[in-house]
Amino acid sequence: MSIIKVGIVQQQCTTDQADNITKSLAGISVCAEAGARLVVLQELHTSLYFCQTESIPNYDLAVPIPGALTDRFAKAAQEHEIVIVASFYEKRAPGLYHNTAVVFEKDGSIAGIYRKMHIPDDPGYYEKFYFAPGDTGFKPIETSVGKLGVLVCWDQWFPEAARIMALNGAGILIYPTAIGWDYNDSMKEQKIQLDAWKTILRSHAIANGLPLVAVNRVGHESDPTNHTKGIQFWGNSLIVAANGEIRYEASTVEEAVTFIEIDTDQSEQTRRVWPFLRDRRIDAYGEVLMRFVDK
Amino acid sequence: MSIIKVGIVQQQCTTDQADNITKSLAGISVCAEAGARLVVLQELHTSLYFCQTESIPNYDLAVPIPGALTDRFAKAAQEHEIVIVASFYEKRAPGLYHNTAVVFEKDGSIAGIYRKMHIPDDPGYYEKFYFAPGDTGFKPIETSVGKLGVLVCWDQWFPEAARIMALNGAGILIYPTAIGWDYNDSMKEQKIQLDAWKTILRSHAIANGLPLVAVNRVGHESDPTNHTKGIQFWGNSLIVAANGEIRYEASTVEEAVTFIEIDTDQSEQTRRVWPFLRDRRIDAYGEVLMRFVDK
């Protein structure tokens, strides 16, 4: 019961949304047939990564949750009797949009949602334009395969997010992501960035004694404004054991549909050897709640 | 002015304290002559790692700060006109002891101390017996080479410690450490542990955009009780750039006296590209202050 087969779908998206959806669903199907009980999709898997430019018409991409789009994934969850972690551009109210992960239970119901809490804003990643900061907090979503600590992309850089998920009883940390390279960066810089990404993800597994699944977008997507050469999403979807060991790494350039067994019981074992939760100095962490400590 | 040459002394200790001290001082001298302006020593560098067993007579190893022992390092700092980060077993009051890092200014004065906040207690590392938890909090120590975020060993596993140092304006994270392998663990397990240690250290540099220096003990030390085969301290002292790049790694088995240039200006550059401090959700981190969030 402690071994969960986890599937991942790392895909390249196009302007053809129907095609993107078909691809996600096909990947889910492959994983389910192989015995996966949980499938994780990448961030915003039904469309291109539209945040390369600030364009008001792109707000039209947002969908209600639940709605026709989420229903398709709900149906897949029900059909295959698996839990699915999917990612959508949520239209919550007129003019109010979020970057939202949805967890579907194996009966097709929505087990819970997570609205991306940390929103980036960099050249090529204009997310503060598109997404209101989440207000779900960092609450694991209870499912038939355990409590899923679902976070999204930029959240990965913030140890606080993973920590709070762990303190709330998460059994797995899960990150749908969409991160890639700027073509203007040197090969050396690109290597440093990918390495930093893998390192910070693994650090959350280690600090919290939790297995971790990150599923990243792959492939080139052009900048519609032609201001930049676009983004090369770097794939490299990652599955990490509770002790930080890399259990699986996807290709940097190819799509990937695969599954791997995660032993959720390893958390207990890892935390016995590395009892960090025992030794936290919660009496001395108050300044974590500050922007900066001015002198 | 933003380039600081940092020296490190990774050493094997013996029962001969005078010899351990001579070795530390000789290493400091070598680094200083090579132009280092800051030298970092390993945790408890004047003695064996005495925490392999719980022995009351070992309390006699504790020394007052300042005192005759710290004076020797103060004198070295003054002679070489460099900043030194050293580590001592502090006798603070009768029956009250700490694991304390002392930062000496280049004029030989004590710039500040840090009392290890997170105290481990594992078979072979009975530190809760020897060290009262620190009460200094996570305050960088102001020196002529910048604000030093000095933490000690076990602190390395807690992202909160590094974060609070960063929020208090630390310019470098510094960890004197004493960590090693249990001979009963398999080679695979040993590799995973070392890798986890390097990963978590690098993650603090990445999450906070700060360079990091960790100086670790090296070599075999026997268990005086012969209950275990002792500890193989794994060396691997590490210097990491603000973007997480490994700039230097020492040997796993050999002593090391070396120095490397750190560009403290890289923090500003790294934080501009990775503006994590901008995007922290301080409104949503309250549960970091809890031991666990019970349902």
Side-chain angles (χ1 to χ4, degrees):
Chain A
M1 188 52 200
S2 70
I3 306 289
I4 298 174
K5 203 175 267 190
V6 179
I8 64 142
V9 183
Q10 167 177 304
Q11 67 182 83
Q12 174 152 19
C13 290
T14 69
T15 52
D16 184 341
Q17 285 214 35
D19 192 51
N20 300 328
I21 294 166
T22 301
K23 205 183 266 184
S24 295
L25 293 172
I28 289 168
S29 180
V30 167
C31 293
E33 277 159 31
R37 294 167 57 210
L38 167 67
V39 177
V40 180
L41 304 176
Q42 70 199 26
E43 187 182 17
L44 301 171
H45 47 86
T46 64
S47 68
L48 289 175
Y49 179 74
F50 51 84
C51 312
Q52 286 202 57
T53 176
E54 299 196 359
S55 161
I56 284 178
N58 279 344
Y59 289 145
D60 291 336
L61 293 168
V63 297
I65 297 174
L69 182 56
T70 63
D71 282 354
R72 297 197 57 184
F73 291 87
K75 198 174 147 218
Q78 186 180 24
E79 268 179 20
H80 299 297
E81 295 182 75
I82 57 168
V83 174
I84 297 174
V85 178
S87 165
F88 303 98
Y89 186 20
E90 178 188 9
K91 181 181 174 76
R92 186 179 186 180
L96 181 62
Y97 313 102
H98 291 282
N99 185 326
T100 302
V102 178
V103 179
F104 299 97
E105 188 44 276
K106 62 181 180 181
D107 63 1
S109 65
I110 290 179
I113 67 167
Y114 167 78
R115 295 192 176 108
K116 187 172 183 174
M117 292 285 286
H118 298 94
I119 308 294
D121 202 274
D122 291 313
Y125 298 82
Y126 298 105
E127 295 199 17
K128 289 193 197 296
F129 175 80
Y130 288 105
F131 310 125
D135 58 351
T136 47
F138 307 102
K139 301 285 182 208
I141 295 170
E142 188 99 46
T143 73
S144 56
V145 293
K147 289 186 177 181
L148 308 186
V150 178
L151 296 159
V152 177
C153 204
W154 195 240
D155 292 322
Q156 74 221 343
W157 301 107
F158 301 85
E160 293 91 342
R163 177 68 94 202
I164 295 173
M165 283 295 186
L167 295 178
N168 277 279
I172 308 183
L173 295 171
I174 294 175
Y175 296 79
T177 71
I179 187 167
W181 287 304
D182 180 333
Y183 290 93
N184 288 324
D185 285 329
S186 65
M187 290 293 281
K188 177 168 185 260
E189 175 62 23
Q190 292 187 7
K191 184 176 173 298
I192 287 170
Q193 289 178 8
L194 173 57
D195 202 28
W197 181 72
K198 288 160 60 174
T199 300
I200 199 92
L201 285 168
R202 293 177 64 202
S203 80
H204 304 321
I206 294 163
N208 297 293
L210 286 175
L212 180 149
V213 177
V215 181
N216 191 35
R217 181 178 290 256
V218 76
H220 168 79
E221 294 187 19
S222 302
D223 173 2
T225 67
N226 288 318
H227 278 94
T228 74
K229 295 174 196 156
I231 300 174
Q232 176 72 36
F233 292 97
W234 68 44
N236 263 280
S237 295
L238 201 63
I239 298 186
V240 181
N243 59 8
E245 193 188 3
I246 294 178
R247 299 293 311 284
Y248 170 77
E249 258 179 293
S251 160
T252 305
V253 290
E254 303 285 340
E255 297 189 315
V257 174
T258 193
F259 49 90
I260 191 155
E261 290 183 342
I262 285 184
D263 182 358
T264 56
D265 189 47
Q266 197 188 5
S267 282
E268 174 76 24
Q269 302 311 318
T270 300
R271 288 178 179 177
R272 287 181 183 199
V273 179
W274 293 340
F276 308 143
L277 293 190
R278 180 192 67 189
D279 293 335
R280 296 177 67 241
R281 287 297 301 274
I282 55 174
D283 59 308
Y285 293 163
E287 287 169 345
V288 165
L289 306 186
M290 298 181 70
R291 183 68 66 209
F292 197 75
V293 185
D294 297 304
K295 295 299 175 227
Chain B
M1 189 51 201
S2 72
I3 306 288
I4 298 175
K5 203 175 269 191
V6 179
I8 64 142
V9 183
Q10 167 177 304
Q11 66 183 84
Q12 175 153 19
C13 290
T14 69
T15 52
D16 185 342
Q17 285 215 33
D19 192 51
N20 299 328
I21 294 167
T22 301
K23 205 185 266 185
S24 296
L25 292 172
I28 289 168
S29 179
V30 168
C31 293
E33 277 158 31
R37 293 168 56 211
L38 167 66
V39 177
V40 180
L41 304 176
Q42 71 200 26
E43 186 182 17
L44 301 171
H45 47 84
T46 63
S47 68
L48 289 175
Y49 179 74
F50 52 84
C51 312
Q52 285 201 60
T53 178
E54 298 196 359
S55 162
I56 285 178
N58 278 345
Y59 290 145
D60 290 335
L61 292 168
V63 298
I65 297 173
L69 182 57
T70 63
D71 282 353
R72 296 196 57 184
F73 291 87
K75 197 173 148 219
Q78 185 180 25
E79 267 180 22
H80 299 296
E81 294 181 75
I82 57 169
V83 174
I84 297 173
V85 178
S87 165
F88 303 98
Y89 187 19
E90 178 188 9
K91 181 181 175 73
R92 187 178 185 181
L96 180 62
Y97 314 103
H98 292 283
N99 185 326
T100 302
V102 179
V103 178
F104 299 97
E105 188 46 276
K106 63 181 180 181
D107 64 1
S109 64
I110 289 179
I113 67 168
Y114 167 78
R115 295 192 176 108
K116 188 172 182 175
M117 292 285 285
H118 299 95
I119 309 293
D121 202 275
D122 291 313
Y125 298 82
Y126 298 104
E127 295 199 15
K128 289 193 196 296
F129 175 81
Y130 287 105
F131 309 125
D135 57 352
T136 48
F138 306 103
K139 302 284 180 208
I141 295 169
E142 187 100 47
T143 73
S144 54
V145 293
K147 288 186 178 183
L148 309 185
V150 179
L151 296 159
V152 177
C153 203
W154 195 239
D155 293 321
Q156 75 220 346
W157 301 107
F158 302 84
E160 293 91 343
R163 177 69 93 202
I164 295 174
M165 283 294 186
L167 295 178
N168 276 280
I172 309 183
L173 296 171
I174 295 175
Y175 296 79
T177 71
I179 187 167
W181 288 304
D182 180 333
Y183 290 93
N184 287 323
D185 285 329
S186 66
M187 291 292 283
K188 176 168 185 261
E189 174 63 23
Q190 292 187 8
K191 184 175 172 301
I192 287 170
Q193 290 178 8
L194 173 57
D195 203 28
W197 181 72
K198 287 160 59 174
T199 300
I200 198 91
L201 284 168
R202 293 178 63 203
S203 79
H204 304 321
I206 294 163
N208 297 292
L210 286 175
L212 180 150
V213 177
V215 181
N216 191 35
R217 181 179 291 256
V218 75
H220 169 78
E221 295 188 18
S222 302
D223 173 2
T225 68
N226 287 318
H227 278 92
T228 74
K229 294 174 196 156
I231 300 174
Q232 176 71 37
F233 292 96
W234 67 44
N236 263 279
S237 295
L238 201 63
I239 297 186
V240 181
N243 60 7
E245 192 187 4
I246 294 178
R247 299 294 311 283
Y248 170 78
E249 259 180 293
S251 161
T252 304
V253 291
E254 303 285 341
E255 297 188 316
V257 174
T258 193
F259 50 90
I260 191 154
E261 288 182 346
I262 284 183
D263 182 358
T264 56
D265 188 47
Q266 196 187 3
S267 282
E268 175 76 25
Q269 302 310 318
T270 300
R271 287 178 178 176
R272 287 181 182 199
V273 179
W274 293 341
F276 308 142
L277 293 190
R278 180 192 68 188
D279 293 335
R280 296 177 68 240
R281 288 296 302 272
I282 55 173
D283 60 307
Y285 293 162
E287 288 169 344
V288 165
L289 306 187
M290 297 181 70
R291 181 68 65 209
F292 197 74
V293 185
D294 297 304
K295 295 299 175 229

